[in-house]
Amino acid sequence: MAKKKVTFEDAITRLEEIVEKLESEEVPLEDAVKLYQEGLSLSTVCKEKLAAAEGSVVLLQKEAGLWEEKPFQKEG
C-alpha cells in the first residue's frame, strides 16, 4: 500500500491535534502510544520537508555587476 503524501501544513496541523489530545489526560494508554507513534512519524515528515525547502532556498547577491547564487545559511 502506497503511503499518502502529506503536506507540511497538514502534518503540523495533525501534530497540534495530537499534542492537544495527549495533554488532555483523558487518553487511554494504548491510544496515547499510538498517537505518540503517529506524532513521531509526522515529526520526521516535517523535518524532511524543512530540510528539502532549506536546501532549495538561495540568496542572490550582486557582486561585480553579476547576480550570484549562494546557498542559504541559517543564522546562529
Side-chain angles (χ1 to χ4, degrees):
M1 180 164 73
K3 208 175 193 182
K4 180 184 172 190
K5 293 201 177 199
V6 178
T7 66
F8 178 81
E9 293 77 9
D10 289 343
I12 290 292
T13 299
R14 180 63 183 144
L15 275 170
E16 290 171 348
E17 292 170 358
I18 290 170
V19 169
E20 285 179 26
K21 284 183 183 181
L22 290 173
E23 289 179 341
S24 74
E25 298 181 28
E26 297 179 19
V27 179
L29 180 60
E30 288 127 12
D31 292 342
V33 170
K34 288 178 186 176
L35 288 169
Y36 181 77
Q37 289 173 331
E38 182 183 355
L40 287 177
S41 176
L42 289 168
S43 174
T44 300
V45 168
C46 290
K47 286 179 189 177
E48 290 170 356
K49 290 189 179 289
L50 283 173
E54 196 172 84
S56 67
V57 173
V58 293
L59 299 175
L60 294 174
Q61 181 179 8
K62 190 172 184 173
E63 289 184 5
L66 301 173
W67 287 100
E68 181 181 332
E69 290 185 2
K70 292 195 175 187
F72 177 77
Q73 294 180 354
K74 293 190 283 189
E75 293 182 20

